[in-house]
Amino acid sequence: MASEEELFASVDALLEEEPQLPPPAERAQLREAAGITQARLAVALKTSTQTVKNYENGRSEPKSPRLEAYQRLLKGWAAKYPAHTSSAAPAPVLAPQPEVPETFTGSAAPEQAEVAAPVQAPAALAAPERPAHSATSRRPAAKKAAAPAVDPRFPHGPLAVLDGDGSAYGAGGIVLDCPATTIPELVEWTLRESGLGAAKLNRYGKDSDPLIVLTAAAAVKLGLPERLEGHEQRRSLRLPEDHPVVKQVTKAKWQLTQRGFGPWARIYRKAQGRERQCVQLAVLSWDALDERSWPGVSEMEPADIARVLGVYAMRVITPRGSTAVSGLELMTALRPPTKAVRDEETGNWVSGYNAGSLGTEPMDPAPPEATLEHPVVVNSGWKGGFLNEEAYQWVRSVDTLSDEECTLPFAVGLDLNTAFLAAAARLVVGLSAPDHFHAPKFNPKIPGSWLADLSHIELDPRLPSPFTPDGSRPTGPAWYQTHTLAYAQELGHDVHPIEAYLRRETGAYLDPWHDRLKNAYVDTLADLGVTKDLTDVEFLTAMEQHKQNDPALAAVLSAIKATVKGGVGKLRERPQGKSYKEGETWLALSRPTWRPDIRAAVISKARVNMHRKLNNMVKMTGLYPLAVLSDCVVYPSPGESPLDFLPYAASGKPQPGAFRLGPTPGLAKLEGVQSMLWAVDLMEQGLNPARHIKGGDAVMDEGE
């Protein structure tokens, strides 16, 4: 039991804390109850009317000594007018969560993920109002909804964009005053005063650290160079250890991660109990936001950048680096490796394995799942071949084109929405280390890598082989992921593996990741006017203009798609840097999420899903594709629209099993239209029409 001295010390610490104010709306209610105008209150507080307005709409908070004076006034009004006060909102209580079943062997039972309900961000969808000193106008949002519940620990949202004048723009239009003039001061302000951060996504996880995004002006004000120059790859650029800012951080007893002070910098101290002390920084002028993932965002006004990143943070995760890094971090945030368990012997609570997760320790892959330079391969002298489960890059031979196809006027490209995400749904993957088997009986329910010979299977040359990324027929035994062999079996062929590396413990590890990203994708598209209830004609029209409806939300959508592909790619991150030598370990191998077998499972299932649709299109329409690149397929067409060749029932409904238009993962949208002559010309040159069908020499991202 605590002593009287300890209890008094604890209470005194509470008394010494910074004064707390009632919610912004209540401040206005109390002032109005007292019959005082904002202008009169501003005179009393010796500030401007606009500042009082900011206090009452939550855009900014007063600082000492004005904070104490304002609190005293509000307390006095609250005592006089108790009907206009509201008791503090209780912390949200999650509904009881179902227990995660134990990991299982063999057949794949669905798992219940212990994931907290995602916090949607409709408030962030509203265009931010400008503070008084900014006259820049912006396009209104496509949709404005009610504000989400605010975590009382993080009243100002997950992040802020700091400009050179000390204004810190948060999600939902809030503007905070940041007095920091050095990086250590900024870190202290963020942790002690800003009210920034985000609640954990799983009850066993950790809260998201606050993110401060620095504009070029803010970076310079804090002593950082406006640009980070060097001859290395952009991702590896960082400040030298003797830079004054790095010295400031060290002198203030803060630490940087191994990656140092680069475009994305993490500054931290060792956690005290449950209290994490960590701030994430992103420097815009150092290319922290890659234009390919965040189109146009770096050039936006700070308030708009905060809106874009705020919506992404609330729907996906607070960014921790590139969208690829964030995609990987989201997996761990939704499936934390550990949870508190009671030690039967001592009765104490200790850290234990969280069933369904990847655990805390990295795991060596099976040799055929590894990369050529991996220590497992180099040290064992492995010569037995490797998995080659990659996305499609296939072009049909022009010799197989019929006269009827050549006379069709158009080539139309269809793109599957987030095909890798669709493949991750209910995907059973291995959770334990691989075991080696000789001449095993094939079981389509066990994830792993199988050596088998599929070269005897006769294939239609007008379709890509489902067994190889380039669509060519296998020439002998090769390693395949479970889904690829299962599809061979589905097509009616016998499968007799020669050997295999299989995992006994399995689970649908990516299910909560899939669910959260799917909701983020569908909700963001809906906010751009592309909803599930549209007819196919309306859907195509909406997709033509959705990016123009709101460029900020269009950037969020782009980032969500990049998070999916990048996250899958990160599962097999290769070594970086010219100094790397084969057989050496590299940083990514220290992560439990370095799992090339899971990446192979996602891509194998995505490629099989694509081939199944191609096959069904032949059965329903007699049409064969011209080319496939990852999740894009090009068909010859009598018209410029997918409606001219996609199969529909007599009722007008799309035929199941083939390509269907729609806004959800796995359904298709129009990628682009060119002439058939254009497509054939590229094919004759050995080029892929699917890569360029969008126009402007578009190059598609194949996932890593």
Side-chain angles (χ1 to χ4, degrees):
M1 181 177 292
S3 67
E4 181 180 286
E5 184 179 342
E6 289 172 328
L7 289 170
F8 272 64
S10 179
V11 169
D12 287 344
L14 286 178
L15 289 172
E16 291 169 7
E17 280 191 6
E18 189 176 78
Q20 298 298 307
L21 298 172
E26 189 175 313
R27 302 169 200 176
Q29 290 170 359
L30 288 169
R31 177 184 53 73
E32 290 166 357
I36 303 298
T37 64
Q38 289 178 328
R40 188 175 170 194
L41 176 56
V43 171
L45 292 176
K46 293 183 169 36
T47 187
S48 67
T49 304
Q50 180 60 48
T51 299
V52 170
K53 288 180 180 179
N54 288 344
Y55 293 166
E56 293 186 354
N57 59 29
R59 282 203 205 97
S60 66
E61 297 290 335
K63 301 289 184 292
S64 293
R66 193 172 287 118
L67 170 62
E68 289 79 7
Y70 191 31
Q71 187 206 36
R72 183 176 181 180
L73 178 64
L74 292 172
K75 278 185 175 179
W77 282 341
K80 279 188 177 182
Y81 314 106
H84 294 272
T85 63
S86 63
S87 57
V93 179
L94 290 178
Q97 299 288 336
E99 288 299 314
V100 176
E102 293 299 315
T103 48
F104 50 86
T105 304
S107 63
E111 287 192 53
Q112 295 292 328
E114 299 192 47
V115 182
V119 179
Q120 296 300 319
L125 301 179
E129 294 182 36
R130 299 285 174 181
H133 60 261
S134 173
T136 308
S137 62
R138 71 172 314 285
R139 181 191 300 268
K143 183 178 179 180
K144 184 172 181 177
V150 175
D151 189 309
R153 297 171 302 154
F154 311 117
H156 298 143
L159 55 87
V161 179
L162 181 62
D163 207 357
D165 63 357
S167 298
Y169 298 81
I174 194 168
V175 184
L176 307 174
D177 295 320
C178 176
T181 57
T182 67
I183 291 295
E185 287 177 3
L186 175 61
V187 172
E188 293 282 357
W189 174 83
T190 303
L191 292 174
R192 312 282 176 252
E193 301 180 48
S194 71
L196 296 173
K200 57 193 176 186
L201 299 180
N202 180 290
R203 62 176 176 174
Y204 300 131
K206 299 174 182 175
D207 294 334
S208 285
D209 299 317
L211 167 64
I212 301 293
V213 181
L214 304 178
T215 65
V220 171
K221 177 184 175 182
L222 294 167
L224 299 169
E226 183 173 346
R227 301 292 306 177
L228 195 57
E229 304 294 345
H231 301 293
E232 302 175 66
Q233 293 183 32
R234 182 185 60 82
R235 72 175 76 183
S236 61
L237 288 177
R238 65 200 66 179
L239 290 180
E241 291 185 9
D242 61 353
H243 191 279
V245 169
V246 177
K247 288 183 176 180
Q248 285 176 0
V249 170
T250 306
K251 186 177 180 181
K253 294 185 168 49
W254 290 98
Q255 293 177 267
L256 291 160
T257 60
Q258 286 184 348
R259 293 191 177 275
F261 205 123
W264 290 88
R266 293 183 66 74
I267 301 177
Y268 71 98
R269 284 180 184 149
K270 190 175 180 181
Q272 297 179 343
R274 286 187 167 187
E275 207 64 30
R276 285 169 62 80
Q277 298 186 89
C278 185
V279 174
Q280 175 81 59
L281 300 181
V283 188
L284 289 173
S285 57
W286 295 2
D287 298 325
L289 298 181
D290 191 316
E291 178 68 19
R292 294 168 297 179
S293 302
W294 303 95
V297 176
S298 293
E299 305 305 316
M300 292 179 180
E301 292 292 319
D304 294 318
I305 297 172
R307 177 176 172 236
V308 171
L309 296 178
V311 175
Y312 179 89
M314 293 179 192
R315 289 189 170 171
V316 182
I317 193 172
T318 304
R320 295 261 317 249
S322 67
T323 47
V325 168
S326 297
L328 201 66
E329 291 288 342
L330 181 63
M331 295 180 195
T332 304
L334 294 169
R335 290 279 201 192
T338 61
K339 66 177 181 179
V341 296
R342 188 182 292 277
D343 186 313
E344 296 297 333
E345 293 184 6
T346 66
N348 295 331
W349 288 95
V350 297
S351 180
Y353 172 65
N354 183 23
S357 77
L358 297 183
T360 59
E361 296 300 318
M363 188 181 297
D364 277 341
E369 297 166 349
T371 56
L372 191 63
E373 66 274 12
H374 195 286
V376 161
V377 174
V378 175
N379 296 338
S380 67
W382 173 259
K383 303 292 183 184
F386 297 92
L387 273 179
N388 188 24
E389 298 288 9
E390 302 294 340
Y392 267 133
Q393 294 192 57
W394 171 81
V395 181
R396 183 173 156 193
S397 169
V398 291
D399 297 337
T400 64
L401 293 174
S402 67
D403 292 341
E404 291 78 11
E405 287 174 314
C406 291
T407 56
L408 290 171
F410 298 105
V412 176
L414 291 176
D415 179 67
L416 296 183
N417 302 321
T418 57
F420 288 172
L421 186 61
R426 298 177 297 281
L427 175 68
V428 176
V429 300
L431 301 177
S432 57
D435 290 320
H436 193 194
F437 297 88
H438 291 281
K441 182 179 179 182
F442 178 65
N443 184 339
K445 295 182 178 180
I446 300 178
S449 304
W450 311 75
L451 181 64
D453 191 348
L454 303 181
S455 60
H456 62 284
I457 298 177
E458 289 290 338
L459 300 166
D460 190 320
R462 294 170 292 180
L463 287 177
S465 166
F467 312 127
T468 61
D470 64 2
S472 61
R473 181 173 177 169
T475 56
W479 288 95
Y480 299 101
Q481 201 277 333
T482 298
H483 282 86
T484 304
L485 278 196
Y487 188 58
Q489 204 173 56
E490 180 184 321
L491 293 175
H493 304 288
D494 288 334
V495 174
H496 300 288
I498 301 164
E499 58 179 306
Y501 286 90
L502 309 176
R503 288 168 167 80
R504 298 179 187 274
E505 294 180 17
T506 63
Y509 171 71
L510 292 174
D511 262 8
W513 186 80
H514 162 272
D515 294 348
R516 187 166 176 86
L517 284 167
K518 176 185 177 182
N519 288 337
Y521 180 82
V522 171
D523 290 347
T524 306
L525 256 185
D527 290 326
L528 286 164
V530 187
T531 55
K532 296 179 182 179
D533 59 348
L534 299 178
T535 66
D536 284 0
V537 173
E538 292 169 337
F539 169 74
L540 290 172
T541 302
M543 286 300 294
E544 280 183 13
Q545 59 194 33
H546 76 285
K547 291 183 179 179
Q548 287 72 46
N549 287 344
D550 190 325
L553 283 180
V556 175
L557 190 69
S558 171
I560 292 169
K561 292 189 284 188
T563 301
V564 173
K565 284 193 172 183
V568 172
K570 275 277 183 184
L571 291 167
R572 197 192 68 169
E573 185 177 355
R574 306 294 284 268
Q576 309 292 336
K578 295 178 180 177
S579 60
Y580 177 78
K581 296 179 181 177
E582 284 192 0
E584 293 178 346
T585 190
W586 62 93
L587 189 60
L589 299 188
S590 64
R591 299 191 312 246
T593 48
W594 197 86
R595 290 293 303 271
D597 57 301
I598 296 180
R599 174 186 177 276
V602 172
I603 297 176
S604 167
K605 186 178 173 186
R607 199 180 65 246
V608 163
N609 286 348
M610 172 65 84
H611 193 276
R612 190 180 287 113
K613 288 179 170 61
L614 298 174
N615 224 7
N616 288 336
M617 281 287 288
V618 173
K619 295 174 184 175
M620 295 177 190
T621 68
L623 282 177
Y624 291 87
L626 301 176
V628 184
L629 180 71
S630 188
D631 44 16
C632 177
V633 57
V634 178
Y635 274 101
S637 172
E640 298 182 74
S641 169
L643 302 175
D644 294 317
F645 63 89
L646 290 178
Y648 290 84
S651 63
K653 291 186 176 181
Q655 292 281 24
F659 294 101
R660 295 173 54 191
L661 299 175
T664 55
L667 297 188
K669 58 181 177 291
L670 177 64
E671 179 70 5
V673 183
Q674 302 287 346
S675 71
M676 184 65 176
L677 287 174
W678 169 91
V680 172
D681 182 51
L682 286 183
M683 293 164 70
E684 287 177 337
Q685 297 177 56
L687 301 175
N688 194 324
R691 185 179 294 275
H692 307 281
I693 190 77
K694 199 169 188 175
D697 285 326
V699 176
M700 298 184 64
D701 176 6
E702 281 113 40
E704 265 189 290

